[in-house]
Coordinates of all heavy atoms in Angstrom, one line a residue:
M1 N -24.5 72.7 -38.0 CA -24.4 73.2 -36.7 C -25.6 74.0 -36.3 O -26.0 74.8 -37.1 CB -23.1 74.0 -36.5 CG -22.9 74.4 -35.1 SD -21.5 75.5 -34.7 CE -20.2 74.3 -35.0
N2 N -26.1 73.8 -35.1 CA -27.3 74.6 -34.7 C -26.7 75.8 -33.8 O -25.7 75.7 -33.2 CB -28.2 73.7 -33.8 CG -28.8 72.6 -34.7 OD1 -29.4 72.9 -35.7 ND2 -28.6 71.4 -34.3
E3 N -27.5 76.8 -33.7 CA -27.2 78.0 -32.9 C -28.3 78.3 -31.9 O -29.4 78.0 -32.1 CB -27.0 79.2 -33.8 CG -25.8 79.0 -34.8 CD -25.6 80.3 -35.6 OE1 -26.2 81.3 -35.3 OE2 -24.8 80.2 -36.5
V4 N -27.8 78.8 -30.8 CA -28.7 79.3 -29.7 C -28.4 80.7 -29.4 O -27.2 81.1 -29.3 CB -28.6 78.4 -28.5 CG1 -29.4 78.9 -27.3 CG2 -28.9 77.0 -28.8
I5 N -29.4 81.5 -29.2 CA -29.2 82.9 -28.8 C -29.7 83.0 -27.4 O -30.9 82.6 -27.1 CB -29.9 83.9 -29.8 CG1 -29.3 83.8 -31.2 CG2 -29.8 85.3 -29.2 CD1 -30.1 84.6 -32.2
I6 N -28.9 83.5 -26.5 CA -29.3 83.7 -25.1 C -29.2 85.2 -24.7 O -28.4 85.9 -25.2 CB -28.5 82.8 -24.1 CG1 -27.0 83.2 -24.2 CG2 -28.7 81.4 -24.4 CD1 -26.2 82.5 -23.1
G7 N -30.1 85.6 -23.8 CA -30.1 86.9 -23.3 C -29.2 87.0 -22.0 O -29.4 86.1 -21.2
M8 N -28.4 87.9 -21.9 CA -27.6 88.1 -20.7 C -27.6 89.6 -20.3 O -27.7 90.4 -21.2 CB -26.1 87.7 -20.9 CG -25.9 86.3 -21.4 SD -24.1 86.0 -21.7 CE -23.5 85.7 -20.1
S9 N -27.5 89.8 -19.0 CA -27.5 91.2 -18.6 C -26.1 91.8 -19.0 O -25.2 91.0 -19.3 CB -27.6 91.3 -17.1 OG -26.4 90.7 -16.4
G10 N -26.0 93.0 -19.0 CA -24.8 93.7 -19.4 C -23.7 93.3 -18.5 O -22.5 93.1 -18.9
E11 N -24.0 93.1 -17.2 CA -23.0 92.7 -16.2 C -22.5 91.3 -16.4 O -21.3 91.0 -16.4 CB -23.7 92.8 -14.8 CG -22.7 92.9 -13.7 CD -23.5 93.1 -12.4 OE1 -23.9 94.3 -12.2 OE2 -23.6 92.2 -11.6
E12 N -23.4 90.4 -16.8 CA -23.1 89.0 -17.1 C -22.2 88.9 -18.3 O -21.2 88.2 -18.3 CB -24.3 88.1 -17.3 CG -25.1 87.9 -16.0 CD -26.5 87.3 -16.3 OE1 -27.1 87.6 -17.3 OE2 -26.9 86.6 -15.4
W13 N -22.6 89.7 -19.3 CA -21.8 89.7 -20.6 C -20.4 90.2 -20.3 O -19.4 89.6 -20.8 CB -22.5 90.5 -21.7 CG -21.7 90.6 -22.9 CD1 -21.1 91.7 -23.4 CD2 -21.4 89.5 -23.8 NE1 -20.4 91.4 -24.6 CE2 -20.6 90.0 -24.9 CE3 -21.8 88.2 -23.9 CZ2 -20.2 89.3 -25.9 CZ3 -21.3 87.4 -24.9 CH2 -20.5 87.9 -25.9
A14 N -20.3 91.3 -19.6 CA -19.0 91.9 -19.3 C -18.1 90.9 -18.5 O -16.9 90.8 -18.8 CB -19.1 93.2 -18.5
E15 N -18.7 90.2 -17.6 CA -17.9 89.2 -16.8 C -17.5 88.1 -17.7 O -16.3 87.6 -17.6 CB -18.8 88.7 -15.7 CG -18.1 87.8 -14.7 CD -18.9 87.4 -13.5 OE1 -20.1 87.9 -13.4 OE2 -18.4 86.6 -12.7
L16 N -18.3 87.6 -18.6 CA -18.0 86.5 -19.5 C -16.9 87.0 -20.5 O -15.9 86.2 -20.7 CB -19.2 86.1 -20.3 CG -19.0 84.9 -21.3 CD1 -18.5 83.7 -20.6 CD2 -20.3 84.6 -22.0
V17 N -17.0 88.2 -21.0 CA -16.0 88.7 -21.9 C -14.6 88.8 -21.2 O -13.6 88.5 -21.7 CB -16.4 90.0 -22.6 CG1 -15.3 90.7 -23.3 CG2 -17.6 89.7 -23.5
D18 N -14.7 89.3 -20.0 CA -13.4 89.5 -19.2 C -12.7 88.2 -19.0 O -11.5 88.0 -19.1 CB -13.7 90.2 -17.9 CG -13.9 91.7 -18.0 OD1 -13.7 92.2 -19.1 OD2 -14.4 92.3 -17.0
L19 N -13.5 87.2 -18.6 CA -13.0 85.8 -18.3 C -12.4 85.2 -19.6 O -11.3 84.7 -19.6 CB -14.1 84.9 -17.8 CG -13.7 83.4 -17.6 CD1 -12.6 83.3 -16.6 CD2 -14.9 82.6 -17.2
A20 N -13.1 85.4 -20.7 CA -12.7 84.8 -22.0 C -11.4 85.5 -22.4 O -10.4 84.9 -22.8 CB -13.7 85.0 -23.0
D21 N -11.3 86.8 -22.3 CA -10.1 87.6 -22.6 C -8.9 87.2 -21.8 O -7.8 87.0 -22.3 CB -10.4 89.1 -22.5 CG -9.3 90.0 -23.0 OD1 -8.8 89.7 -24.1 OD2 -8.8 90.8 -22.2
A22 N -9.2 87.0 -20.5 CA -8.1 86.7 -19.6 C -7.5 85.3 -19.8 O -6.4 85.1 -19.5 CB -8.6 86.8 -18.1
T23 N -8.3 84.4 -20.3 CA -7.9 83.0 -20.5 C -7.6 82.7 -22.0 O -7.3 81.5 -22.2 CB -8.9 82.1 -19.9 OG1 -10.2 82.3 -20.6 CG2 -9.1 82.3 -18.4
G24 N -7.8 83.6 -22.9 CA -7.6 83.3 -24.3 C -8.6 82.5 -25.0 O -8.4 81.9 -26.0
H25 N -9.8 82.5 -24.4 CA -10.9 81.7 -25.0 C -12.0 82.7 -25.5 O -12.0 83.9 -25.1 CB -11.5 80.7 -24.0 CG -10.6 79.7 -23.6 ND1 -9.8 79.8 -22.5 CD2 -10.4 78.4 -24.1 CE1 -9.1 78.7 -22.4 NE2 -9.4 77.8 -23.3
S26 N -12.9 82.2 -26.2 CA -14.0 83.1 -26.7 C -15.2 82.9 -25.7 O -15.3 81.9 -25.0 CB -14.5 82.7 -28.1 OG -15.1 81.4 -28.0
P27 N -16.0 84.0 -25.6 CA -17.2 83.9 -24.8 C -18.1 82.7 -25.2 O -18.6 81.9 -24.4 CB -17.9 85.2 -25.0 CG -16.9 86.1 -25.4 CD -15.9 85.3 -26.2
E28 N -18.1 82.4 -26.5 CA -18.9 81.3 -27.0 C -18.4 80.0 -26.6 O -19.2 79.1 -26.3 CB -18.9 81.3 -28.6 CG -19.7 82.5 -29.2 CD -18.8 83.8 -29.2 OE1 -17.6 83.8 -28.9 OE2 -19.4 84.9 -29.6
A29 N -17.1 79.9 -26.5 CA -16.5 78.6 -26.0 C -16.9 78.3 -24.5 O -17.2 77.2 -24.2 CB -14.9 78.7 -26.1
Y30 N -16.9 79.4 -23.7 CA -17.3 79.2 -22.3 C -18.8 78.8 -22.2 O -19.2 78.0 -21.5 CB -17.0 80.5 -21.5 CG -15.6 80.5 -21.0 CD1 -14.7 81.2 -21.5 CD2 -15.3 79.7 -19.9 CE1 -13.4 81.2 -21.1 CE2 -14.0 79.6 -19.4 CZ -13.0 80.4 -20.0 OH -11.8 80.4 -19.5
A31 N -19.6 79.5 -23.1 CA -21.1 79.2 -23.0 C -21.3 77.7 -23.5 O -22.1 77.0 -22.9 CB -21.8 80.1 -23.9
L32 N -20.6 77.3 -24.5 CA -20.8 75.9 -25.0 C -20.3 74.9 -24.0 O -21.0 73.9 -23.7 CB -19.9 75.7 -26.3 CG -20.0 74.4 -26.9 CD1 -21.5 74.0 -27.2 CD2 -19.2 74.3 -28.2
E33 N -19.2 75.2 -23.3 CA -18.7 74.3 -22.2 C -19.7 74.2 -21.1 O -19.9 73.2 -20.5 CB -17.4 74.7 -21.7 CG -16.8 73.8 -20.7 CD -16.7 72.3 -21.1 OE1 -16.5 72.0 -22.3 OE2 -16.9 71.4 -20.3
A34 N -20.3 75.4 -20.8 CA -21.4 75.4 -19.7 C -22.6 74.5 -20.1 O -23.1 73.7 -19.3 CB -21.8 76.8 -19.4
V35 N -23.0 74.6 -21.3 CA -24.1 73.8 -21.8 C -23.7 72.3 -21.8 O -24.5 71.5 -21.3 CB -24.6 74.2 -23.2 CG1 -25.6 73.2 -23.8 CG2 -25.2 75.6 -23.1
R36 N -22.6 72.0 -22.3 CA -22.1 70.6 -22.3 C -22.0 70.0 -20.9 O -22.4 68.9 -20.6 CB -20.8 70.5 -23.0 CG -20.9 70.7 -24.5 CD -19.5 70.6 -25.1 NE -19.6 70.7 -26.6 CZ -18.6 71.0 -27.4 NH1 -17.5 71.4 -26.9 NH2 -18.8 71.0 -28.7
G37 N -21.5 70.8 -20.0 CA -21.4 70.4 -18.6 C -22.7 70.1 -18.0 O -22.9 69.1 -17.2
R38 N -23.7 71.0 -18.2 CA -25.1 70.8 -17.7 C -25.7 69.5 -18.3 O -26.4 68.8 -17.6 CB -25.9 72.0 -18.0 CG -27.3 71.9 -17.4 CD -27.3 71.7 -15.9 NE -28.6 71.5 -15.4 CZ -29.3 72.4 -14.7 NH1 -28.8 73.6 -14.5 NH2 -30.5 72.1 -14.3
L39 N -25.5 69.3 -19.6 CA -26.1 68.1 -20.3 C -25.5 66.9 -19.7 O -26.2 65.9 -19.4 CB -25.9 68.2 -21.8 CG -26.7 69.3 -22.5 CD1 -26.2 69.3 -24.0 CD2 -28.2 69.0 -22.5
R40 N -24.2 66.9 -19.5 CA -23.5 65.8 -18.9 C -24.0 65.4 -17.5 O -24.3 64.3 -17.2 CB -22.0 66.0 -18.9 CG -21.1 64.9 -18.5 CD -19.6 65.2 -18.7 NE -19.2 66.5 -18.3 CZ -18.8 67.5 -19.2 NH1 -18.9 67.3 -20.5 NH2 -18.5 68.7 -18.8
A41 N -24.1 66.5 -16.7 CA -24.6 66.3 -15.3 C -26.1 65.7 -15.3 O -26.4 64.8 -14.6 CB -24.6 67.6 -14.6
E42 N -26.9 66.2 -16.2 CA -28.3 65.7 -16.3 C -28.3 64.3 -16.8 O -29.1 63.4 -16.3 CB -29.1 66.6 -17.2 CG -29.4 68.0 -16.6 CD -30.3 67.9 -15.4 OE1 -31.2 67.1 -15.3 OE2 -30.0 68.8 -14.5
R43 N -27.5 64.0 -17.8 CA -27.4 62.6 -18.3 C -27.0 61.6 -17.2 O -27.5 60.5 -17.0 CB -26.4 62.6 -19.5 CG -26.5 61.4 -20.4 CD -25.7 61.6 -21.6 NE -24.4 62.2 -21.5 CZ -24.1 63.4 -22.0 NH1 -25.0 64.1 -22.7 NH2 -22.9 64.0 -21.9
E44 N -26.0 62.0 -16.4 CA -25.5 61.2 -15.3 C -26.6 61.0 -14.2 O -26.7 59.9 -13.7 CB -24.2 61.8 -14.7 CG -23.0 61.6 -15.7 CD -21.8 62.4 -15.2 OE1 -21.8 63.1 -14.2 OE2 -20.8 62.4 -16.0
A45 N -27.3 62.1 -13.9 CA -28.3 62.0 -12.9 C -29.5 61.1 -13.4 O -29.9 60.3 -12.6 CB -28.9 63.4 -12.6
V46 N -29.9 61.2 -14.6 CA -30.9 60.3 -15.1 C -30.4 58.9 -15.1 O -31.2 57.9 -14.7 CB -31.4 60.7 -16.5 CG1 -32.2 59.7 -17.2 CG2 -32.1 62.1 -16.4
A47 N -29.2 58.6 -15.5 CA -28.7 57.3 -15.6 C -28.6 56.7 -14.1 O -28.9 55.5 -13.9 CB -27.3 57.2 -16.2
G48 N -28.2 57.5 -13.2 CA -28.2 57.1 -11.8 C -29.5 56.7 -11.3 O -29.7 55.7 -10.6
Q49 N -30.5 57.5 -11.6 CA -31.9 57.3 -11.1 C -32.4 56.0 -11.8 O -33.1 55.2 -11.1 CB -32.8 58.4 -11.5 CG -34.2 58.3 -11.0 CD -34.3 58.2 -9.5 OE1 -33.4 58.6 -8.7 NE2 -35.4 57.7 -9.0
A50 N -32.1 55.8 -13.1 CA -32.5 54.6 -13.8 C -31.9 53.3 -13.1 O -32.6 52.3 -12.9 CB -32.1 54.6 -15.2
R51 N -30.6 53.4 -12.7 CA -29.9 52.3 -12.0 C -30.6 52.0 -10.7 O -30.9 50.8 -10.4 CB -28.5 52.6 -11.8 CG -27.6 52.3 -13.0 CD -26.1 52.4 -12.7 NE -25.7 53.6 -12.1 CZ -25.4 54.7 -12.8 NH1 -25.5 54.7 -14.1 NH2 -25.0 55.8 -12.2
R52 N -30.9 53.1 -10.0 CA -31.6 52.8 -8.6 C -32.9 52.2 -8.8 O -33.3 51.3 -8.0 CB -31.6 54.2 -7.9 CG -30.3 54.6 -7.3 CD -30.5 55.9 -6.4 NE -30.8 57.1 -7.2 CZ -30.0 57.8 -7.8 NH1 -28.7 57.5 -7.9 NH2 -30.3 58.9 -8.5
L53 N -33.7 52.7 -9.8 CA -35.0 52.1 -10.0 C -34.9 50.6 -10.5 O -35.7 49.8 -10.0 CB -35.8 52.9 -11.1 CG -36.3 54.2 -10.6 CD1 -36.8 55.0 -11.8 CD2 -37.4 54.0 -9.5
A54 N -33.9 50.3 -11.3 CA -33.7 49.0 -11.8 C -33.3 48.0 -10.6 O -33.8 46.9 -10.5 CB -32.7 48.9 -12.9
E55 N -32.5 48.5 -9.7 CA -32.1 47.7 -8.6 C -33.3 47.5 -7.6 O -33.5 46.4 -7.1 CB -30.9 48.4 -7.8 CG -29.6 48.4 -8.6 CD -28.6 49.3 -8.0 OE1 -28.8 49.9 -6.9 OE2 -27.5 49.4 -8.6
R56 N -34.0 48.6 -7.4 CA -35.2 48.5 -6.5 C -36.2 47.5 -7.0 O -36.9 46.8 -6.2 CB -35.8 49.9 -6.3 CG -36.9 49.9 -5.2 CD -37.5 51.2 -5.0 NE -36.4 52.2 -4.8 CZ -36.5 53.5 -5.1 NH1 -37.6 53.9 -5.8 NH2 -35.6 54.4 -4.9
H57 N -36.4 47.5 -8.3 CA -37.4 46.7 -8.9 C -36.9 45.5 -9.7 O -37.5 45.0 -10.6 CB -38.3 47.5 -9.8 CG -39.0 48.7 -9.0 ND1 -40.0 48.5 -8.1 CD2 -38.7 50.0 -9.0 CE1 -40.3 49.6 -7.6 NE2 -39.6 50.6 -8.1
A58 N -35.7 45.0 -9.3 CA -35.0 43.9 -10.0 C -35.9 42.7 -10.1 O -36.0 42.0 -11.2 CB -33.7 43.6 -9.4
A59 N -36.6 42.3 -9.0 CA -37.4 41.1 -9.0 C -38.5 41.2 -10.0 O -38.8 40.3 -10.8 CB -37.9 40.8 -7.6
L60 N -39.2 42.4 -10.0 CA -40.3 42.6 -11.0 C -39.8 42.6 -12.4 O -40.4 41.9 -13.3 CB -41.0 43.9 -10.7 CG -42.1 44.3 -11.7 CD1 -43.2 43.3 -11.7 CD2 -42.6 45.7 -11.3
L61 N -38.7 43.2 -12.7 CA -38.1 43.2 -14.0 C -37.7 41.8 -14.5 O -37.9 41.5 -15.6 CB -36.9 44.2 -14.1 CG -37.3 45.7 -13.9 CD1 -36.0 46.5 -13.8 CD2 -38.1 46.2 -15.0
E62 N -37.2 41.1 -13.5 CA -36.9 39.7 -13.8 C -38.1 38.9 -14.3 O -38.1 38.1 -15.2 CB -36.2 39.0 -12.6 CG -35.8 37.6 -12.8 CD -34.5 37.5 -13.6 OE1 -33.7 38.4 -13.6 OE2 -34.3 36.4 -14.1
R63 N -39.2 39.1 -13.5 CA -40.4 38.3 -13.8 C -41.0 38.8 -15.2 O -41.6 38.0 -15.9 CB -41.5 38.6 -12.7 CG -41.2 37.8 -11.5 CD -42.4 37.8 -10.5 NE -43.0 39.0 -10.3 CZ -42.8 39.8 -9.2 NH1 -41.9 39.4 -8.3 NH2 -43.4 40.9 -9.1
L64 N -40.8 40.0 -15.5 CA -41.3 40.6 -16.8 C -40.4 40.2 -17.9 O -40.8 40.4 -19.1 CB -41.5 42.1 -16.7 CG -42.6 42.6 -15.7 CD1 -42.5 44.1 -15.6 CD2 -44.0 42.1 -16.2
G65 N -39.2 39.7 -17.6 CA -38.3 39.4 -18.7 C -37.6 40.6 -19.3 O -37.1 40.6 -20.4
A66 N -37.5 41.7 -18.5 CA -36.9 42.9 -19.0 C -35.4 42.9 -18.7 O -34.9 42.3 -17.8 CB -37.6 44.1 -18.4

């Protein structure tokens, strides 16, 4: 497993700890879910852009045999 260290303001940390405590999760679990959500969103955005480009250039891709 890899680890990441991030800097947070005292206010951000306190808010994260309060949320984690109130919901029975760890601050690390919330941070990991945030990263996973961002990665998922970026992956979906890139895939969508790739689909749009493939549709726009379908004739060229066909001629190239791609």
Side-chain angles (χ1 to χ4, degrees):
M1 180 182 296
N2 296 304
E3 295 183 10
V4 174
I5 296 173
I6 59 171
M8 300 177 80
S9 70
E11 198 172 288
E12 291 168 328
W13 177 251
E15 188 175 353
L16 180 60
V17 169
D18 285 347
L19 175 63
D21 185 52
T23 59
H25 295 91
S26 68
E28 294 82 5
Y30 274 104
L32 181 56
E33 183 54 36
V35 169
R36 287 177 174 159
R38 181 60 186 256
L39 290 172
R40 187 172 39 253
E42 290 296 324
R43 197 169 39 248
E44 291 169 2
V46 168
Q49 184 65 18
R51 279 191 303 277
R52 284 188 291 279
L53 286 170
E55 290 169 2
R56 184 179 311 146
H57 300 289
L60 175 61
L61 293 171
E62 179 80 20
R63 287 195 310 264
L64 293 172

